[in-house]
C-alpha cells in the first residue's frame, strides 16, 4: 500500500468516525454540562485515552482475533501491528466472515434509522418511510434471509457471520436505547459525577462499535484503523467541548453519516461475497456523501441565520 493510499484511508476513516459520532458528542456535551469542573477535566483528559487507545484500539484487535482465531489472542495483538505477511494472509482468509458480519450490522443500522428513528428529512421518501416504521421488521428480516441464503452457498461460516452481525446489531441497539433513556434522568439529576463518568464511558464504547465495524470497509489494517478512528475521536472530543451548538445547527450531517453507513455496509457485503473493489471506493463515497449533506446543512444554517 502506498503512502498516498494510506493517507486517503486515514482521512476517510477520520471523517467517517466524526460524522458517525455526532449523536455521541451531543449526549456527552449535555451530560458534561451537569458535572463539576474536576469531573469534566478528567473525562476530557483521561477519557480521550480510554476512547482512542483502549476502546478504538481494543475493538479492532478483538474483531480480527474473532475472525482469525488461529492467530490466538496474544499473537494477533502483537502481529496486528507488524508487517508479517503470514498475518495478512490469515486475516485475508478470514476477511469474508468479518466483512459479511460487519456489512449486515451496518445495513441494519441504516434501515433502523430510515424507518424508526427521528430525523431531519434530507431526501425525498424519508418522510414517507418514517410513517411506515413497522416495515423495518419485515425489510430487516427479508434482508437477513436473502443474505444468509446467498452466503450459505459460499460458505456456512459466512452465513453464520451474517447472523452474528444481526445479533450484534440488536444487542448494541438495546444498549443504546437504554443509554438514551437514562440520559434524560442523568441531565438535571442528583447522580454523582462518578456515576455520570461511568455512563459516558459506557455509551462511548457502545457508539464506537459502529465506527470500528465501518472501518473494515476501508481497510483490514489495525494500525490504520486505530490512527484514523483515533483522530476522528479526538475531533469529536473537541466538538464536545466548544462547538456542539454549531454542530446542532447543521441538521443533515446525521443523514450523511447514515447514507455513508449504507454504502460501507454494501461494500463490505460485496467484498465478503468475493467481489474485489478498488480501495478508494469507501473513502471517496464517504467524502462525496458527507460533503453533499454538509453543503445542504450549511445552506440550511445560512437561511435560518439570516
Amino acid at each position: 500500500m502506498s503512502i498516498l493510499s494510506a493517507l486517503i484511508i486515514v482521512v476517510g476513516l477520520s471523517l467517517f468516525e466524526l460524522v458517525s459520532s455526532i449523536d455521541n458528542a451531543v449526549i456527552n456535551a449535555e451530560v458534561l454540562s451537569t458535572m463539576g469542573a474536576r469531573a469534566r477535566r478528567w473525562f476530557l483528559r483521561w477519557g480521550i485515552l480510554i476512547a482512542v487507545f483502549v476502546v478504538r484500539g481494543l475493538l479492532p484487535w478483538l474483531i480480527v482475533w474473532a475472525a482469525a482465531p488461529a492467530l490466538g489472542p496474544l499473537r494477533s495483538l502483537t502481529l496486528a501491528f507488524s508487517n508479517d505477511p503470514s498475518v495478512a494472509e490469515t486475516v485475508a482468509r478470514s476477511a469474508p466472515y468479518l466483512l459479511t458480519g460487519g456489512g449486515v450490522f451496518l445495513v441494519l443500522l441504516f434501515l433502523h434509522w430510515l424507518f424508526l428513528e427521528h430525523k431531519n428529512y434530507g431526501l425525498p421518501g424519508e418522510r414517507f418511510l418514517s410513517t411506515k416504521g413497522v416495515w423495518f421488521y419485515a425489510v430487516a428480516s427479508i434482508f437477513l434471509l436473502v443474505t444468509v441464503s446467498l452466503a450459505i452457498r459460499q460458505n456456512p461460516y459466512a452465513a453464520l457471520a451474517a447472523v452474528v452481525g444481526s445479533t450484534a446489531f440488536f444487542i448494541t441497539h438495546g444498549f443504546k436505547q437504554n443509554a438514551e433513556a437514562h440520559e434524560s434522568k442523568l441531565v438535571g439529576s442528583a447522580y454523582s459525577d462518578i456515576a455520570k463518568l461511568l455512563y459516558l464511558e459506557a455509551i462511548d464504547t457502545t457508539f464506537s462499535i459502529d465506527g470500528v465495524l465501518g472501518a473494515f470497509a476501508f481497510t483490514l489494517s489495525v494500525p490504520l484503523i486505530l490512527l484514523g478512528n483515533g483522530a476522528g475521536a479526538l475531533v469529536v472530543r473537541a466538538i464536545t467541548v466548544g462547538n456542539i451548538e454549531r454542530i446542532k445547527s447543521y441538521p443533515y450531517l446525521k443523514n450523511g453519516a447514515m447514507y455513508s453507513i449504507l454504502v460501507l455496509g454494501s461494500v463490505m457485503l460485496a467484498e465478503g461475497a468475493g467481489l474485489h473493489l478498488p480501495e478508494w471506493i469507501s473513502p471517496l463515497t464517504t467524502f462525496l456523501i458527507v460533503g453533499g449533506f454538509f453543503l445542504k446543512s450549511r445552506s440550511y444554517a445560512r437561511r435560518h441565520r439570516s
Side-chain angles (χ1 to χ4, degrees):
M1 181 185 297
S2 67
I3 295 177
L4 179 60
S5 297
L7 181 61
I8 292 173
I9 288 172
V10 169
V11 174
L13 281 169
S14 300
L15 179 62
F16 176 67
E17 173 70 24
L18 172 60
V19 296
S20 64
S21 298
I22 290 173
D23 287 350
N24 191 9
V26 171
I27 291 174
N28 286 350
E30 291 178 349
V31 175
L32 282 171
S33 66
T34 69
M35 295 165 58
R38 183 179 180 184
R40 287 199 299 270
R41 285 196 302 270
W42 192 97
F43 177 76
L44 295 172
R45 180 180 302 167
W46 299 107
I48 288 176
L49 296 178
I50 296 173
V52 174
F53 296 105
V54 178
V55 176
R56 286 162 180 82
L58 189 63
L59 278 178
W61 162 62
L62 289 175
I63 292 170
V64 169
W65 175 32
L71 292 175
L74 294 179
R75 189 164 181 262
S76 62
L77 175 62
T78 56
L79 297 184
F81 295 92
S82 73
N83 293 320
D84 190 331
S86 65
V87 177
E89 292 173 6
T90 302
V91 173
R93 287 196 299 270
S94 304
Y97 317 136
L98 190 158
L99 293 170
T100 300
V104 167
F105 181 97
L106 294 181
V107 172
L108 288 176
L109 189 67
F110 168 79
L111 291 174
H112 187 274
W113 171 82
L114 185 65
F115 284 102
L116 292 175
E117 295 181 25
H118 172 74
K119 66 182 70 65
N120 295 297
Y121 302 113
L123 291 180
E126 289 179 356
R127 185 184 299 273
F128 170 76
L129 291 175
S130 290
T131 65
K132 308 296 180 184
V134 70
W135 288 7
F136 165 74
Y137 302 99
V139 173
S141 299
I142 293 171
F143 162 70
L144 184 60
L145 176 63
V146 171
T147 303
V148 170
S149 299
L150 294 175
I152 205 168
R153 298 177 185 177
Q154 177 187 0
N155 190 317
Y157 289 108
L160 176 61
V163 176
V164 170
S166 68
T167 302
F169 165 76
F170 286 109
I171 290 174
T172 56
H173 175 66
F175 278 113
K176 282 184 181 179
Q177 279 195 319
N178 183 66
E180 290 168 357
H182 280 77
E183 179 199 355
S184 58
K185 297 179 181 179
L186 287 172
V187 176
S189 72
Y191 278 84
S192 69
D193 284 349
I194 294 177
K196 293 177 181 179
L197 282 172
L198 292 173
Y199 163 82
L200 289 176
E201 293 300 339
I203 197 171
D204 187 67
T205 301
T206 304
F207 272 95
S208 68
I209 292 174
D210 305 348
V212 170
L213 284 174
F216 285 101
F218 292 81
T219 180
L220 295 177
S221 170
V222 172
L224 289 183
I225 291 174
L226 177 58
L227 187 59
N229 281 5
L234 291 175
V235 176
V236 170
R237 282 297 194 276
I239 291 173
T240 300
V241 175
N243 298 290
I244 201 67
E245 291 304 321
R246 184 172 183 181
I247 291 297
K248 286 182 178 180
S249 69
Y250 287 68
Y252 303 113
L253 290 180
K254 179 64 179 291
N255 300 58
M258 298 313 299
Y259 283 107
S260 64
I261 280 174
L262 171 64
V263 172
L264 294 178
S266 302
V267 167
M268 293 177 78
L269 288 173
E271 292 188 337
L275 260 85
H276 298 290
L277 302 177
E279 62 184 13
W280 49 262
I281 285 290
S282 294
L284 178 62
T285 54
T286 300
F287 292 142
L288 292 176
I289 294 171
V290 173
F293 280 100
F294 171 77
L295 293 176
K296 185 179 180 68
S297 296
R298 189 170 68 172
S299 175
Y300 173 91
R302 284 177 175 174
R303 288 198 309 270
H304 286 74
R305 279 200 299 264
S306 59

